[in-house]
Amino acid sequence: MDQTAPLKTVKFHSGEAIPLEMHKVRVVQKLNLVPIEDRKAAMFDAGFNTFLLKNKDVFLDMLTDSGTNAMSDNQVAAMSVADDSYAGSASYYKLEKAVQDVFNQKYYLPVHQGRAAEHIISKVFVKPGMVVPMNYHFTTTKAHIEICGGTIEEIYTDEALKIKSDFPFKGNMDIDKLHKVIEKWGVDKVAYIRFEAGTNLIGGQPFSMQNLREVSAIAKSHGIKLLMDTSLINENLYFIKIREAGYQNVPIKDILHEMLSYTDFSYFSGRKVSCTRGGGICTNDHAIYMQMRDLVPLFEGFLTYGGMSVREIEAMAVGLYETLDFDVISHSPTFIKYLVDSLDSRGIPVITPAGGLGCHLDAGAFISHVPQGQYPAGALAAAVYIASGVRGMERGTISSVRDEAGNDVLADVELLRLAFPRRVFTLSQIKYLEDRIQWLYDNRKLIGGLEWTEEPPVLRFFVGKLKPIGDWVDKLVAKFRADFGDSL
Ligand code: F0G
């Protein structure tokens, strides 16, 4: 399964480079593509928040890659032999063994999903007045740290937020900034350093082994713990293997073990990493394990299920081993690269280089006439859905929170994320999306901004509602009909 040989690639005689599925489809689910007038009505019902759309109105669901990935035949088969019991289930011990084999970590605490791990880790290690330095935040991570009275410091490199770049490891930490943050806060105030694999909010961008090694050395020299969020480890592994000098012939398992050898503990969302649900916290440090262990039965469930169903546990055990298969971890980044490179070559603003997780449109540039206070990323998410039936996710100012004075904190970047659930969509579906994005880009001046009608104080992007400023939606729909006739 693991590949020690140089990377396998398929070359096309024509010279064209397109991604190729290394699997076949044996179970399918029917999709709906409703007319644009229905999509417009659905968007109004959803308060211009793609989280609030109903799946029946969505054609390609690219909201997230979380819990929406395709399982393998072996995963589905494993689910039918699950051993149901509250305590001591044989399914659990298979998963524990998979964690030990795949991650090379002795101790495992099961949780129902990634943020549950963040909850437990923050509760144990983050005290009021403490800081967690990290390459970049993730929404739920930040919220859990702040709810415990902590603060985050992002120590990304200058390349991280550049939309157009050919820097291969935009997820790296800036070593100078890390030194400065530790000096500023003092070692005792640093709860731990958090390194996120496949850095989600800057476009699914990886860090390099070299950078991880340096960060780990600094953490060790101060006696600070290093935590890795491995939710997006699949794609970070893929990028180290193909982009980092010296790793092309190293088996994926060895790359993964080397990565985790630099950490004190790690956690993952199984909704991404193993194409299942659930999650976990892993460590080789008995003391760290013991600090968190008793919170699992309190918040999640007994230590041998942690809020997961035994069927998910079985599928997760198999899914973790599949993370070591190059065909599995390369599928999503190669499809993402296809769309990113194609849009980029047409001058449509996207984050480059292509990362894992999804294609990220730079809404700030795409509709530069929409002021940031009118939420360009949210407006573009609505426009893409109305034009195509494809649902993406706003990753901009709507996804941040207001400051204490009640002012919007404008996001560093206004992104529309079009996530690629692993092994779910075909190339023709991606080509359809590419075509509709091009049409929208040609008609971008028609798109306007949004304003709140209902704004929750915490994680407002999940359930908040907005409305369009002016009648731009009607104009967009009219132009679509003029250009596409009676097409869906
Ligand atoms: N860490 C990262 C890097 C994530 O991307 C996510 C979830 C989590 C932690 C939390 O895990 O959802 O299982 O509780 N990301 C999803 C997304 C929600 O759509 O990007 P969870």
Side-chain angles (χ1 to χ4, degrees), residues 58 70 89 152 248 283 324 428 431 473:
V58 172
S89 148
I152 63 151
Q248 279 68 47
T283 181
L324 304 178
S428 46
K431 278 177 164 296
V473 173

Side-chain angles (χ1 to χ4, degrees), residues 117-134:
E118 292 170 342
H119 172 216
I120 290 175
I121 292 167
S122 310
K123 235 185 161 60
V124 170
F125 294 101
V126 181
K127 305 290 171 225
M130 284 187 140
V131 66
V132 180
M134 55 183 68

Side-chain angles (χ1 to χ4, degrees), residues 306-325:
M308 287 186 272
S309 78
V310 281
R311 292 162 67 80
E312 292 292 346
I313 289 174
E314 288 279 350
M316 181 183 277
V318 174
L320 287 182
Y321 284 106
E322 291 177 355
T323 291
L324 304 178
D325 183 337

Side-chain angles (χ1 to χ4, degrees), residues 118-192:
E118 292 170 342
H119 172 216
I120 290 175
I121 292 167
S122 310
K123 235 185 161 60
V124 170
F125 294 101
V126 181
K127 305 290 171 225
M130 284 187 140
V131 66
V132 180
M134 55 183 68
N135 49 346
Y136 207 75
H137 78 279
F138 182 69
T139 50
T140 55
T141 325
K142 182 167 182 271
H144 275 296
I145 291 169
E146 289 177 350
I147 227 165
C148 292
T151 306
I152 63 151
E153 286 256 19
E154 292 170 323
I155 43 181
Y156 48 83
T157 66
D158 292 343
E159 287 294 327
L161 301 185
K162 283 188 192 152
I163 300 287
K164 236 177 137 46
S165 164
D166 52 12
F167 191 66
F169 295 107
K170 285 164 105 179
N172 281 355
M173 284 195 203
D174 183 315
I175 299 296
D176 281 346
K177 283 191 208 158
L178 177 59
H179 281 301
K180 286 191 184 121
V181 164
I182 297 173
E183 202 175 305
K184 182 176 106 187
W185 286 79
V187 170
D188 294 347
K189 290 277 182 229
V190 181
Y192 49 82

Side-chain angles (χ1 to χ4, degrees), residues 190-205:
V190 181
Y192 49 82
I193 297 170
R194 173 179 174 274
F195 222 144
E196 183 179 309
T199 330
N200 188 327
L201 294 191
I202 59 165
Q205 299 289 327

